[in-house]
Every structure is written in structure tokens, then in C-alpha cells.
Amino acid sequence: MATTELTATISDAEWRVMRIVWTLKQTDSRTIIDLLEQQHDWKAPTIKTLIGRLVKKGALATQKQGRQFIYTPQISEQAAMDAALMNELNQMCAMHRGTALVHTIDQLELSRADVQELITHLQAKLATAPEEVDCDCLPDGCEGSCAN
Amino acid sequence: MATTELTATISDAEWRVMRIVWTLKQTDSRTIIDLLEQQHDWKAPTIKTLIGRLVKKGALATQKQGRQFIYTPQISEQAAMDAALMNELNQMCAMHRGTALVHTIDQLELSRADVQELITHLQAKLATAPEEVDCDCLPDGCEGSCAN
DNA sequence: ACTTTTGGATTACAGATGTAAACTCTAAAT
DNA sequence: ATTTAGAGTTTACATCTGTAATCCAAAAGT
């Protein structure tokens, strides 16, 4: 049977809905709609559609409570974030990922604790870090030709 | 007039094409097709479509050369990567971005130089890093309610 | 000059996504 | 018991994406 792939892709708009539910741990559609109508110019039906799609995708679970439903996340926020980020990075040239991270982290606001943890993890990586990471954009590798 | 938004979104499949052109700096469709047919199960027409869309989007420039075209990137690879990454992160809860980065970097293969540079930049951030970065998933902020 | 390649353009088509109106119940109010 | 408001479902529809077959004209080969 279809194990309802918990790996279903969540679209940008759907991601907004998930963030609300993740944060509240569990809620009803009324709350989701109220909150999202404040953040965006979405009409209630739009949000209902998004909720419906997330349920169908298995990202949200429903639990009947009177005339309505209580929605709960079926996937962990952190796991979803990690996966989305890895996904994005894996789509890019391996050789330039590091620089992209540098540029991004530079612009990002991170807590002292997070910065500290990142430093710790990175220092641990230093030991085994390869001298070079090759470009993987071409079928065979782009050794010579890739001069940047 | 339409300034041909250089910010046009590049889809996943299109991204593959861009990587080839970015790496080769400039090429003809024959080369792109040959290379991509090796990496994926795409038929030549599929790749042609992708190239066409990228040209229309302004991501690739064409330069007639005999019966064919020479394609050149109109956007910098690094800029596109940085933007895509920032974009992805900005879509997520500000409070958990740091952890997502930690998890991702842990799994990523980075060159010694990149790791080193990341450490340097992070150490510089330590000085001004805020004690906490609040969750920004709810309209007002999710202070109390956000206990994770 | 004629035929065969083949690069690029046109057309196709299903599924995903953003956005939302319309509809149908049924629990809640009276 | 009736009415009604609101939760969830169905339908809608344009655009984007993945994937590809066709078509056309010019170049290349013979």
C-alpha cells in the first residue's frame, strides 16, 4: 500500500500553513485562516485549499472535534527544514556550495548559540575536510575546464 | 519597459542546464544536449525546451554563430546560488534556521578552505550575534507559545 | 542540384501550484 | 424543530514545470 510518502514536497504557499501548525503544535482551521489572512492577502478559501492539500499529502493529520478538525503536523519542522536545505544545496555545483554558504550566513541573523555551534561543528570538520571539492556539473567531472 | 527581470526563477530542471553553461562559460546546444543526455534520461527535445525557456527568461543569452547559437549565462552562478539559498532559508522559521544550517553543514562535503572561511566569518559574527532570534511564524511573533 | 542532417521553433499534455468561488453539510443557536 | 453560520469539499482556472513529439528551414554532404 502507498505509505503516504512522508517525503511529499511542500510548496511555498503550503509551507506558510505548516509553519503556523508547527508553531502552534495543533490547531483548527479557523485559527490558521485568521493568522494567515493577517500575513498575506489570501482569502479564506485559498487557505482552505492549502490545508486540504497538506492533509492529502500526509503533512497534516486531522482529528475530528465536533463539527471541525484539529490539525497536527505529521512531519517534523526541523526535519523538513533540513531536507529542504540539503535539497537546495545538492542541486548546486558542489564546488561552489561552500561560498554560497559563506555569503548566506553573512546575511543571516543567527543567535550567539547557533553561531557557536556552527563553529564547533566546522572545527570538527576541519580534520577530515578534503583539500578540494570538485565541480560536479558535468557528467565526468569538469577538472581542467572548470577554472573558477 | 520590462527590464527582463534577471531575478526570474529557474526551475530544477532548468538549473541543470544552467550548471552546464555556467561551467563551460559558453556553448552550443549540441554540447548541452550531449552532456545532459548522459546525466539524465532526457530526450533532446526536452533539453531544447529547457534551453528555450531559459533564453526567454533571460537567464541565457544567444549569439548566432552560423546555423546555430552560442549560449552564455546572463546571471552569475554564485549570485544565483546565494539567492536560491537565502530564499529557501527565508521561507523557514527564523528561530530554527541556525539548527538547519548545522545539520546541513554536518552532512555536506566542504573543502578545508571553505570550512576555514566559514569559521572566520562566524567568529566575526559572534560579536554582534543576538542572544536569541525569535520565531517569526505567527503574525505578531510567537513568544510564549513557541516553546521549542 | 538534391537529399539528408539537425538546430531551433511550435505544439502537446499531464501534473503541480497559486488563488479563489461555489456548494454542501451539520453542529449550534433560537 | 428550524434556521443558520461556518467547516470542509468540489470545482475552476491560469501559469509553471517536466517531458517530449513534430515541424521547418538552412546547412552539409554527395
Side-chain angles (χ1 to χ4, degrees):
Chain A
M1 70 270 79
T3 319
T4 312
E5 278 297 341
L6 270 293
T7 320
T9 41
I10 292 171
S11 79
D12 286 7
E14 288 163 2
W15 196 272
R16 306 311 295 207
V17 177
M18 288 306 291
R19 284 178 63 181
I20 299 283
V21 188
W22 274 322
T23 302
L24 302 181
K25 263 64 165 194
Q26 102 183 67
T27 7
D28 51 84
S29 68
R30 186 89 296 280
T31 308
I32 299 178
I33 290 173
D34 284 346
L35 294 175
L36 283 177
E37 274 183 329
Q38 275 178 256
Q39 308 185 242
H40 310 279
D41 300 296
W42 294 344
K43 306 299 174 204
T46 299
I47 302 168
K48 288 182 180 185
T49 298
L50 295 173
I51 294 176
R53 288 179 183 168
L54 284 167
V55 171
K56 180 178 309 178
K57 285 184 183 181
L60 286 181
T62 58
Q63 186 186 328
K64 193 145 221 156
Q65 190 235 280
R67 56 340 216 350
Q68 59 186 91
F69 283 140
I70 296 295
Y71 297 93
T72 352
Q74 281 308 94
I75 54 180
S76 123
E77 174 169 29
Q78 197 61 62
M81 290 174 70
D82 297 356
L85 211 50
M86 260 319 258
N87 212 55
E88 193 67 39
L89 280 164
N90 280 328
Q91 188 122 301
M92 307 172 174
C93 172
M95 193 170 73
H96 301 106
R97 281 176 204 152
T99 305
L101 280 170
V102 170
H103 292 169
T104 300
I105 285 181
D106 265 346
Q107 295 180 237
L108 221 54
E109 190 178 56
L110 294 169
S111 74
R112 205 188 325 280
D114 282 333
V115 174
Q116 198 59 260
E117 195 175 358
L118 279 166
I119 291 176
T120 304
H121 281 247
L122 284 165
Q123 276 170 337
K125 280 184 89 72
L126 256 188
T128 51
E131 201 50 56
E132 293 245 333
V133 173
D134 293 319
C135 162
D136 58 351
C137 297
L138 304 188
D140 356 282
C142 64
E143 309 76 45
S145 44
C146 211
N148 33 345
Chain B
M1 70 267 83
T3 317
T4 313
E5 278 297 341
L6 269 293
T7 321
T9 41
I10 292 171
S11 79
D12 286 8
E14 287 162 3
W15 197 271
R16 306 313 295 207
V17 177
M18 288 306 291
R19 284 178 63 183
I20 298 284
V21 188
W22 274 323
T23 302
L24 301 182
K25 261 68 163 191
Q26 102 181 69
T27 8
D28 51 85
S29 68
R30 185 89 296 280
T31 308
I32 300 177
I33 292 172
D34 283 347
L35 293 175
L36 283 178
E37 274 183 329
Q38 275 178 256
Q39 308 186 245
H40 310 280
D41 299 296
W42 295 343
K43 306 297 174 207
T46 298
I47 302 169
K48 289 182 179 183
T49 297
L50 294 173
I51 294 176
R53 287 179 184 168
L54 284 167
V55 170
K56 181 177 309 178
K57 285 186 182 178
L60 286 182
T62 58
Q63 187 189 326
K64 194 145 222 156
Q65 190 235 278
R67 55 344 217 347
Q68 59 185 92
F69 284 138
I70 296 294
Y71 298 93
T72 354
Q74 281 309 93
I75 54 181
S76 122
E77 173 170 30
Q78 197 61 62
M81 290 175 69
D82 298 356
L85 210 51
M86 260 318 256
N87 211 56
E88 192 67 38
L89 280 164
N90 280 328
Q91 188 123 301
M92 307 173 173
C93 173
M95 193 171 72
H96 300 106
R97 282 176 202 151
T99 305
L101 280 171
V102 171
H103 291 169
T104 301
I105 285 180
D106 264 347
Q107 295 180 239
L108 221 56
E109 189 177 58
L110 294 169
S111 74
R112 207 188 323 281
D114 283 334
V115 174
Q116 199 58 259
E117 193 174 1
L118 279 166
I119 292 177
T120 304
H121 281 247
L122 284 165
Q123 275 169 340
K125 280 183 90 71
L126 257 189
T128 52
E131 201 50 56
E132 293 245 332
V133 173
D134 292 320
C135 160
D136 58 350
C137 296
L138 304 188
D140 356 280
C142 66
E143 310 75 43
S145 44
C146 208
N148 34 341

